[in-house]
């Protein structure tokens, strides 16, 4: 896939992504560990479940949306939530031919059809990367337009309040995007394909950085979270979110073979794994054999170490998970386990019993999460004020 021009937003703005457009910047998370809300969470970093080739894969990060002629827009709150998510199957489609050349005017500044299309595309691409595909419905386009209106209003307010950003910061932001391209020629080709110049890119970067600074310096200080609110959240969610499930620290040796390989090849791989298991049972060092013989390139240099896992993380490879969680004592070995990726031998390094995180362990994370929620409310309120006193004309 060819690279497209995009501007990665800072963490300070990431919490506001997609809200006005109805998509989520990431799956709903528990405050303590980034596992789905309503399920037990871990307060420590965990390795992900073994994947193809026995390797581990980190949870997907929220990726910046890629746009066509414009950079990916900021997706800020401001429109009331709809009962049906935008882009949901069955939502009414919008004929692109019916979209006017100018879709809105904000205090005299036009928002054009191209910006709307690029914004909607960016949201769709971002949602798809999060596993939440959106269809190009009328609702999606209208919410995208609300985003663009909100961005323009906030940008105007930032300028009116004297918010500025140094040229060096703008140059640095664009340079960071430029480094994603293999060469200067690839970068210029992407600009040409997007129909923009580097000046357009710099202008978009300046706008985004101004809004970020405006939110951080003018709006965020108005959001306050009391110590009692943090304590109340902990007590209310203690059972649902503050529990750490049983975890296992394991390592493995993989003999890889395609599941569609001929039976003779699979038998050969199975026998190789069985021979390694016998050597381990005879006392040879697991880490040494993993470095020498494992066919998992991502873990063999770590002596087969896969880190900490919880059972839920192995749901895509249940045979592996069942074998790992059947081990009882450190250094216990599994039998040869057959998975879609070949044949594995698992060794238990350490186990951790289920527990509940204390208030002191999570209070800072809870406070930060609640502060982010309050910032969202402050931004929404300010957008409402700016809409009420400004002149916003919508033609879509």
């Amino acid at each position: 896939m060819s690279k497209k021009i995009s501007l990665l937003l800072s963490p300070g703005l990431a919490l506001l992504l997609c809200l006005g457009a109805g998509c989520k910047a990431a799956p709903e998370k528990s405050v303590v560990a980034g596992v789905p809300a309503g399920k037990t969470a871990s307060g420590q970093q965990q390795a992900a479940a073994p994947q193809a080739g026995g390797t581990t894969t980190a949870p997907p990060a929220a990726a910046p949306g890629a746009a066509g002629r414009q950079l990916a827009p900021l997706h800020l709150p401001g429109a009331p939530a709809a009962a049906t998510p935008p882009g949901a199957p069955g939502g009414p489609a919008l004929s692109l031919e019916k979209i006017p050349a100018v879709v809105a005017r904000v205090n005299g500044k036009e928002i054009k059809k191209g910006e709307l299309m690029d914004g909607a595309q960016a949201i769709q691409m971002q949602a798809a990367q999060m596993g939440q595909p959106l269809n190009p419905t009328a609702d999606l386009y209208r919410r995208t337009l609300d985003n663009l209106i909100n961005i323009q209003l906030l940008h105007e307010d930032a300028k009116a309040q004297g918010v500025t950003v140094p040229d060096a910061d703008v140059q640095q932001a664009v340079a960071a995007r430029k480094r994603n391209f293999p060469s200067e020629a690839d970068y210029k080709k992407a600009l040409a394909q997007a129909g923009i110049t580097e000046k357009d890119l710099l202008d978009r970067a300046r706008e985004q950085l101004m809004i970020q600074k405006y939110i951080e310096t003018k709006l965020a200080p108005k959001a306050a979270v009391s110590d009692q609110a943090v304590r109340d959240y902990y007590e209310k969610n203690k059972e649902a979110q503050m529990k750490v499930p049983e975890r296992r620290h394991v390592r493995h040796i993989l003999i890889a073979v395609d599941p569609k390989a001929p039976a003779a090849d699979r038998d050969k791989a199975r026998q190789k794994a069985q021979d390694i298991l016998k050597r381990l049972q005879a006392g040879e060092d697991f880490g040494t054999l993993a470095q020498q013989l494992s066919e998992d390139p991502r873990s063999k240099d770590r002596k087969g170490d896969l880190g900490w896992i919880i059972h839920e993380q192995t749901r895509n490879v249940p045979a592996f998970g069942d074998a790992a969680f059947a081990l009882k004592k450190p250094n216990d070995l599994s039998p040869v386990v057959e998975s879609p990726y070949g044949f594995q031998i698992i060794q238990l390094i350490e186990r951790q019993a289920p527990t509940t995180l204390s208030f002191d362990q999570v209070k800072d994370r809870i406070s930060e999460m609640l502060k982010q929620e309050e910032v969202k409310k402050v931004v929404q309120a300010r957008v409402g004020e700016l809409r009420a006193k400004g002149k916003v004309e919508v033609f879509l």
Side-chain angles (χ1 to χ4, degrees), residues 105-361:
R105 195 175 288 118
V106 180
N107 295 325
K109 181 177 174 59
E110 293 180 344
I111 297 177
K112 298 181 179 180
K113 178 178 179 178
E115 297 175 72
L116 175 67
M117 301 302 295
D118 294 337
Q121 180 190 35
I123 292 170
Q124 286 181 284
M125 292 182 67
Q126 193 169 52
Q129 290 168 341
M130 304 302 167
Q132 303 168 348
L134 298 175
N135 296 326
T137 62
D139 195 30
L140 173 63
Y141 287 113
R142 291 190 181 104
R143 284 176 173 265
T144 302
L145 181 56
D146 270 336
N147 265 334
L148 297 173
I149 291 169
N150 296 344
I151 290 165
Q152 179 59 29
L153 288 168
L154 291 173
H155 186 226
E156 289 177 2
D157 200 31
K159 288 193 292 186
Q161 296 194 40
V163 176
T164 60
V165 293
D167 289 343
D169 290 353
V170 178
Q171 294 284 352
Q172 185 178 4
V174 173
R177 299 302 92 219
K178 189 174 180 179
R179 286 194 293 270
N180 288 335
F181 294 86
S183 68
E184 180 76 15
D186 289 311
Y187 170 68
K188 290 182 177 179
K189 181 180 179 181
L191 285 174
Q193 288 176 338
I196 60 176
T197 66
E198 189 164 64
K199 182 182 182 301
D200 295 328
L201 204 61
L202 289 165
D203 290 344
R204 184 63 178 141
R206 186 179 299 278
E207 177 183 303
Q208 292 195 355
L209 291 172
M210 280 183 63
I211 296 173
Q212 172 187 319
K213 186 174 179 179
Y214 161 80
I215 291 173
E216 292 173 349
T217 61
K218 304 295 184 181
L219 301 183
K222 300 177 183 179
V225 176
S226 68
D227 292 342
Q228 187 59 48
V230 176
R231 171 65 75 174
D232 290 345
Y233 184 93
Y234 176 81
E235 295 298 337
K236 181 179 179 180
N237 295 280
K238 191 173 182 178
E239 292 301 314
Q241 292 191 29
M242 309 304 165
K243 289 188 177 297
V244 180
E246 180 182 5
R247 302 193 309 158
R248 302 293 178 95
H249 184 188
V250 298
R251 55 183 176 178
H252 81 148
I253 295 172
L254 170 72
I255 303 303
V257 64
D258 192 303
K260 297 179 181 179
D265 291 346
R266 295 191 62 78
D267 289 343
K268 183 178 178 180
R270 181 186 290 106
Q271 186 58 53
K272 184 176 179 180
Q274 291 286 2
D275 292 343
I276 294 171
L277 178 59
K278 289 177 183 177
R279 293 173 63 177
L280 292 168
Q281 292 169 336
E284 292 196 47
D285 181 69
F286 193 103
T288 300
L289 289 182
Q291 288 180 311
Q292 294 174 351
L293 302 172
S294 180
E295 296 172 359
D296 173 7
R298 294 184 62 184
S299 70
K300 68 179 300 178
D301 291 340
R302 301 193 305 269
K303 298 185 177 182
D305 196 338
L306 293 176
W308 287 94
I309 62 172
I310 60 174
H311 209 160
E312 182 186 358
Q313 289 174 299
T314 68
R315 60 186 177 274
N316 293 330
V317 277
F320 176 95
D322 292 345
F325 280 81
L327 302 174
K328 303 300 182 185
K329 302 187 301 296
N331 300 319
D332 277 357
L333 297 169
S334 74
V336 172
V337 178
E338 183 174 1
S339 77
Y341 315 115
F343 298 91
Q344 295 166 284
I345 303 161
I346 307 161
Q347 184 182 53
L348 176 65
I349 299 174
E350 190 179 356
R351 62 185 293 186
Q352 186 179 77
T355 188
T356 300
L357 297 173
S358 70
F359 176 72
D360 286 341
Q361 286 177 293

Side-chain angles (χ1 to χ4, degrees), residues 16 19-20 76-81 150 154 215 219 373-387:
L16 300 169
L19 293 175
L76 301 173
N150 296 344
L154 291 173
I215 291 173
L219 301 183
E373 293 298 322
E374 289 303 309
V375 171
K376 292 176 188 177
K377 293 176 184 177
V378 171
V379 173
Q380 287 174 323
R382 185 57 182 161
V383 165
E385 293 171 2
L386 295 171
R387 278 178 175 258

